[in-house]
Amino acid sequence: TIDNKINNNETLTQMSSRYEITLSDFSMKNIDGELIKLSGKIIQNFMRDKTTGIIKAQFDVDNMENKWIDQEDNGRNILTNYHLVEISTESSISTLASGTLQGDENGQKYSVKFDSKVEYPRSSTFSPTIADINIEDFNNLKNAITIKNTIGGKASINAFANGTSVSGYPTTVDWDYFE
């Protein structure tokens, strides 16, 4: 089932909308046979300042479960304490995200916490002006991946296992590597 609540508000200086979407054993079957089941609640807030034109979108998920099964794979993800804020101005788009993801894919279990701050100029380039992305093993904080912005449109990736740099890291790639 899907339950949806919408609340719109408008003043002389601001427009806002709040959406609450609750999914209870919501199932989707893709054309390739993959079955996806979702359960949880998403709260979305959108605000637009009429004076400055700044748009702010915020997404919050306390607990969302995603199960999938197809011909080759099956798994389950649980997203908790997820918070995403996107602010769009005339010159840039910035995003802040954080949360915890626990998963089990074909019997391989993982649990990570993540946070990021990324800012892009309003142009056709995928290269951010600011990037700080951190992913840590929830059970061992010495296992981590960091992605940071470098000069010249590149991303620096570091990977650590038990606090020691993983062979082949750090490495530098073009940002379009992540597209």
Side-chain angles (χ1 to χ4, degrees):
T1 60
I2 300 173
D3 183 35
N4 187 23
K5 297 177 186 174
I6 301 172
N7 183 11
N8 294 312
N9 189 24
E10 186 169 353
T11 66
L12 291 174
T13 59
Q14 184 175 338
M15 294 171 52
S16 64
S17 296
R18 177 182 169 90
Y19 301 90
E20 288 185 31
I21 302 166
T22 303
L23 305 172
S24 301
D25 290 323
F26 178 74
S27 297
M28 297 179 290
K29 189 169 186 177
N30 292 336
I31 197 164
D32 64 2
E34 180 183 36
L35 179 64
I36 300 170
K37 286 187 175 184
L38 296 165
S39 294
K41 182 180 193 178
I42 304 167
I43 298 175
Q44 303 172 338
N45 289 296
F46 298 97
M47 292 154 270
R48 181 178 169 273
D49 186 304
K50 293 179 182 179
T51 308
T52 63
I54 295 174
I55 298 170
K56 179 180 177 184
Q58 181 175 316
F59 301 86
D60 291 292
V61 175
D62 286 335
N63 189 308
M64 174 72 71
E65 182 177 21
N66 171 15
K67 295 180 185 178
W68 72 92
I69 188 165
D70 63 25
Q71 296 171 353
E72 300 167 6
D73 299 306
N74 67 73
R76 175 179 176 220
N77 286 327
I78 300 173
L79 180 64
T80 55
N81 300 320
Y82 178 68
H83 182 69
L84 169 69
V85 176
E86 182 177 275
I87 299 173
S88 178
T89 68
E90 190 175 302
S91 61
S92 68
I93 299 171
S94 62
T95 61
L96 297 167
S98 62
T100 302
L101 180 65
Q102 297 176 6
D104 182 344
E105 187 168 344
N106 299 324
Q108 294 285 10
K109 296 182 187 245
Y110 55 91
S111 181
V112 297
K113 67 180 187 174
F114 58 90
D115 64 82
S116 66
K117 178 180 181 180
V118 180
E119 184 173 304
Y120 295 92
R122 278 215 174 266
S123 66
S124 60
T125 180
F126 183 68
S127 180
T129 53
I130 297 171
D132 189 7
I133 302 166
N134 302 292
I135 305 165
E136 296 176 316
D137 182 333
F138 197 75
N139 298 313
N140 181 353
L141 300 181
K142 291 182 178 182
N143 296 338
I145 298 171
T146 61
I147 304 169
K148 301 200 182 289
N149 198 39
T150 67
I151 297 170
K154 305 280 186 185
S156 173
I157 305 170
N158 283 294
F160 301 92
N162 285 320
T164 303
S165 185
V166 174
S167 178
Y169 291 92
T171 188
T172 303
V173 298
D174 290 325
W175 275 103
D176 60 6
Y177 169 82
F178 298 104
E179 285 188 290

